[in-house]
Amino acid sequence: MTAPSDTKAANQMWGGRFAEGPDAIMTAINASIGFDQRLYAQDIAGSRAHAAMLAATGILTPNDAEAIGEGLLTVLSEIETGKFPFRTDLEDIHMNVENRLKELIGAPAGRLHTARSRNDQVAVDFRLWVRDQCDAAILGLTALMRAFVAQAEAGADWVMPGFTHLQTAQPVTWGHHMMAYVEMFARDRSRFEDARRRMNECPLGAAALAGTGFPIDRHMTAQALGFDRPTANSLDSVSDRDFALEFLAASSICAMHLSRFAEELVIWSSAQFRFVRLSDKWTTGSSIMPQKKNPDAAELLRAKVGRILGATVALFTVMKGLPLTYSKDMQEDKEQVFDAADTLMLGLAAMTGMVADMTANRPVLAQAAASGFSTATDLADWLVRELGLPFREAHHVTGTLVAMAETQGCDLPDLTLAQMQAVHPGIRDDVFSVLGVENSVRSRQSYGGTAPDQVRAQVARWKEKLA
Ligand code: ARG
């Protein structure tokens, strides 16, 4: 890339009224080619669609349109083979491509920008790019959901403690816990699908802001670029960045979900919990402490949401208070979205790998499920069901029994029947059946509950949806 100080003469693309070129620092703050070169494929696709439409509507001769279309393909292959001479003095990807086209095909290149502006050009390029990222997120999320479903299927009836406040609450099943994340990532996926549907309107042809006097066919370009229809208001077309914000918002929520499971993995893989073993592929060692196996990937995934949410806040702040229509402020949209998208796709891939490779420690999970008086609610429910106690009274009786067990340093099933009857004389021997964790989870048959049958039903439903 050429240095800013190379620039002395007025810009060839728009410098007609300028006697001298920009200050080197102006070039440095103004140029976006350093990052918007990532839009090259979209820019060329948009230009090819535009040129074909200009020919179809008689605005360009077939020969000129043909030369432009072919020339753009040459530019594309130059960029893809690393031979393209990107120039900072040409500001952005749009002018870099057009200038190179002129070097390649001469005069007809100057006709490509008929009935178009960089304002609608960047709007269409960026929409196409973000649309692709929605597709990538949808694919990444689908793979991740499949990994969770596979874990759930394997462990539909493995018991583990369920937590509230990170305190043992009630026994649940491993499969149920895995399927909770399937629901979360399914909502994420539908957010990307929704955003994609809404953004799939083509702003090309809005020109600078007011539309154009040339007899263009916006439906033709919209269709050629895979959009559902052209946008309906030219002012909105060039000033709208909702599509980028929606992508970032969906990414932020998704990254927040990733961070929650990442945190569970950090806790679960610790020596204190030992609920899961992460594979060597997703952990690192310590250079000084030989026993260590650190969950670095999980920790990084816990952190990445900060970066993605940061990009979201940054673009919101850029867009807030901008008057219609295009303002150069909007050039600040791209780096945020690029970084957020890269971060999200990497995060989805890393999480998919970690989930697929992790191993649940069943004995430890089962032991933990049975500790912490996790079946106290089952006992209270039994008192309600079998003895007709009001739930509040049953809660009180159970609390007394928990306190008794705690004093004795044992769990609820370790109390004797006589000890229980001292608290409530109606308690019978069959109470012990509900104090076991296996029975506890099996009893939670309400729709969406943790019973293995319910989990298997959800696994089957999702396997079909994800097939
Ligand atoms: N590089 C610019 C951007 O990213 C392209 C649009 C420039 N339009 C203009 N009128 N200067 O927003």
Side-chain angles (χ1 to χ4, degrees):
M1 215 173 281
T2 54
S5 55
D6 291 353
T7 313
K8 285 285 185 307
N11 188 293
Q12 300 159 34
M13 298 284 171
W14 45 253
R17 62 165 293 184
F18 287 75
E20 55 179 347
D23 189 279
I25 295 172
M26 171 58 184
T27 302
I29 195 174
N30 194 40
S32 54
I33 188 63
F35 48 88
D36 70 11
Q37 51 183 272
R38 270 187 90 160
L39 299 176
Y40 74 88
Q42 290 77 12
D43 193 71
I44 289 169
S47 288
R48 281 173 52 82
H50 184 65
M53 180 278 291
L54 291 177
T57 50
I59 301 166
L60 279 193
T61 65
N63 282 350
D64 283 353
E66 166 95 29
I68 290 170
E70 289 299 309
L72 285 168
L73 288 182
T74 307
V75 174
L76 181 66
S77 86
E78 285 183 357
I79 295 176
E80 282 178 343
T81 53
K83 291 192 204 113
F84 188 89
F86 285 111
R87 281 171 51 181
T88 307
D89 61 305
L90 291 170
E91 258 184 70
D92 56 26
I93 185 63
H94 324 297
M95 295 200 293
N96 267 271
V97 168
E98 189 183 321
N99 184 74
R100 182 71 188 132
L101 183 66
K102 193 171 128 210
E103 288 170 3
L104 290 168
I105 69 167
R111 298 188 188 280
L112 170 61
H113 215 51
T114 313
R116 187 177 76 168
S117 154
R118 273 189 294 155
N119 297 348
D120 59 338
Q121 195 177 352
V122 74
V124 75
D125 292 3
F126 199 31
R127 257 186 216 236
L128 287 168
W129 196 88
V130 175
R131 191 178 72 182
D132 282 350
Q133 297 302 308
C134 287
D135 291 338
I138 290 164
L139 279 180
L141 280 162
T142 304
L144 178 57
M145 288 158 76
R146 287 199 184 110
F148 273 110
V149 170
Q151 284 284 352
E153 187 171 30
D157 58 359
W158 302 348
V159 289
M160 67 177 282
F163 297 94
T164 60
H165 313 266
L166 198 56
Q167 309 281 322
T168 301
Q170 293 173 348
V172 296
T173 48
W174 171 262
H176 200 46
H177 199 112
M178 296 299 112
M179 293 308 287
Y181 282 95
V182 173
E183 295 294 327
M184 290 149 84
F185 290 117
R187 287 194 296 275
D188 289 329
R189 197 174 66 159
S190 77
R191 268 183 279 274
F192 286 109
E193 287 164 353
D194 281 352
R196 189 196 196 284
R197 207 172 299 129
R198 223 172 350 265
M199 77 179 65
N200 205 28
E201 296 186 344
C202 185
L204 191 62
L209 76 165
T212 174
F214 290 99
I216 60 172
D217 183 349
R218 293 192 58 210
H219 294 274
M220 181 178 169
T221 41
Q223 199 187 10
L225 296 168
F227 288 103
D228 294 330
R229 62 191 80 83
T231 51
N233 182 296
S234 63
L235 302 177
D236 178 47
S237 306
V238 294
S239 69
D240 168 40
R241 292 294 180 273
D242 289 3
F243 60 94
L245 287 168
E246 283 196 45
F247 173 77
L248 289 173
S251 299
S252 297
I253 299 176
C254 180
M256 176 273 288
H257 288 152
L258 289 172
S259 83
R260 294 184 72 174
F261 192 63
E263 167 70 346
E264 300 210 288
L265 287 180
V266 171
I267 297 174
W268 290 358
S269 64
S270 69
Q272 288 68 25
F273 268 76
R274 296 190 301 120
F275 281 11
V276 292
R277 212 164 36 74
L278 296 175
S279 90
D280 290 355
K281 289 196 259 175
W282 303 101
T283 49
T284 64
S286 159
S287 50
I288 174 167
M289 297 166 282
Q291 85 282 12
K292 294 272 274 185
K293 193 166 160 187
N294 294 325
D296 293 41
E299 293 167 89
L300 287 162
L301 279 173
R302 189 170 56 180
K304 295 284 188 195
V305 60
R307 195 157 153 178
I308 294 176
L309 183 60
T312 311
V313 174
L315 185 55
F316 261 101
T317 314
V318 166
M319 295 308 293
K320 181 208 161 287
L322 278 189
L324 297 188
T325 56
Y326 178 85
S327 295
K328 197 61 174 263
D329 308 51
M330 289 156 69
Q331 180 167 289
E332 290 290 312
D333 56 3
K334 289 168 213 61
E335 286 162 291
Q336 302 297 342
V337 175
F338 291 162
D339 186 68
D342 291 345
T343 304
L344 183 73
M345 303 318 154
L346 186 61
L348 287 172
M351 188 58 98
T352 303
M354 267 195 294
V355 171
D357 290 351
M358 72 184 178
T359 316
N361 191 343
R362 285 184 67 187
V364 168
L365 287 172
Q367 201 182 11
S371 68
F373 315 108
S374 66
T375 52
T377 316
D378 299 86
L379 174 54
D381 287 349
W382 185 90
L383 294 168
V384 169
R385 210 171 43 239
E386 300 295 325
L387 307 186
L389 264 54
F391 183 77
R392 284 297 158 214
E393 195 187 330
H395 186 285
H396 192 80
V397 169
T398 306
T400 309
L401 289 167
V402 166
M404 182 186 274
E406 196 166 31
T407 313
Q408 296 183 17
C410 67
D411 268 302
L412 281 175
D414 306 321
L415 293 174
T416 65
L417 184 59
Q419 285 173 321
M420 293 203 193
Q421 285 171 340
V423 177
H424 194 288
I427 298 180
R428 301 184 310 261
D429 200 33
D430 55 314
V431 73
F432 286 98
S433 69
V434 301
L435 298 181
V437 289
E438 306 282 345
N439 285 339
S440 168
V441 296
R442 215 170 311 151
S443 74
R444 294 216 153 58
Q445 285 286 1
S446 51
Y447 180 81
T450 198
D453 289 347
Q454 291 296 324
V455 174
R456 288 195 187 98
Q458 293 297 331
V459 166
R461 183 170 75 88
W462 276 109
K463 276 179 82 172
E464 200 178 305
K465 284 175 85 159
L466 296 170

